[in-house]
Amino acid sequence: MSIYISYPKENADFANHLASELVRRNHCVWVEKWELQAGDSLIEKVQGTITDSDALLVVISKASVAAAWCRRSLAATLTREVAAKHAIIVPVLMEDCEIPLFVTNYLRADFRKGFDAGFKNIFEGIAAGARRDIGEDEPGDDS
């Protein structure tokens, strides 16, 4: 599964740690710091990556709530999700802060009480989304 992580530069250490753990579990992860090179078009690279990603993890923090770039990447993904009904969106709550209105209806991976608990939430969200994509029933769904 390919995963895009949207985060502000102030949360780069957290995003890099999260990405490293996902890579250790065999996920293909796109992190700006790892992928962009001098001369790359930021808009083209990010837009292409969002379009091709199976999941978008949006780091929610005081810094990201204020970052226009994070809001734009999430808006692009939400638009794609509505059009294609494809992307798995997992808000990653890093700290106590205002939750942006456009992600309030998504269950969040909560990292406020520790990395392991939040990481488990991400895995559960990605797994549930993958099951929906391939048409499998949710656990306990007897329909």
Side-chain angles (χ1 to χ4, degrees):
M1 173 169 289
S2 61
I3 300 170
Y4 174 83
I5 301 177
S6 175
Y7 64 95
K9 65 182 177 186
E10 293 87 352
N11 301 139
D13 290 342
F14 174 82
N16 287 326
H17 179 61
L18 178 58
S20 296
E21 291 301 315
L22 288 163
V23 168
R24 285 185 52 225
R25 288 160 179 84
N26 299 317
H27 289 285
C28 178
V29 179
W30 196 93
V31 177
E32 176 182 314
K33 181 179 176 181
W34 296 358
E35 303 295 334
L36 293 176
Q37 306 296 321
D40 284 346
S41 167
L42 181 63
I43 293 171
E44 286 179 22
K45 285 273 194 172
V46 170
Q47 183 177 25
T49 302
I50 289 173
T51 300
D52 295 338
S53 293
D54 299 309
L56 172 67
L57 305 183
V58 183
V59 175
I60 306 295
S61 67
K62 292 171 187 164
S64 70
V65 169
W69 183 254
C70 290
R71 289 192 307 272
R72 282 194 296 268
S73 66
L74 181 59
T77 302
L78 290 171
T79 300
R80 184 175 73 94
E81 179 193 36
V82 169
K85 295 183 170 113
H86 176 64
I88 300 164
I89 298 173
V90 180
V92 175
L93 187 56
M94 189 178 141
E95 61 189 3
D96 289 328
C97 62
E98 179 183 344
I99 305 297
L101 182 61
F102 45 81
V103 293
T104 55
N105 65 323
Y106 291 92
L107 293 178
R108 296 174 282 282
D110 192 345
F111 282 77
R112 294 174 299 170
K113 294 183 180 168
F115 189 88
D116 291 340
F119 196 76
K120 181 180 178 202
N121 292 152
I122 287 176
F123 253 72
E124 290 167 351
I126 290 172
R131 283 192 301 273
R132 280 192 306 271
D133 283 350
I134 61 173
E136 287 185 13
D137 293 334
E138 294 289 325
D141 185 5
D142 296 327
S143 51

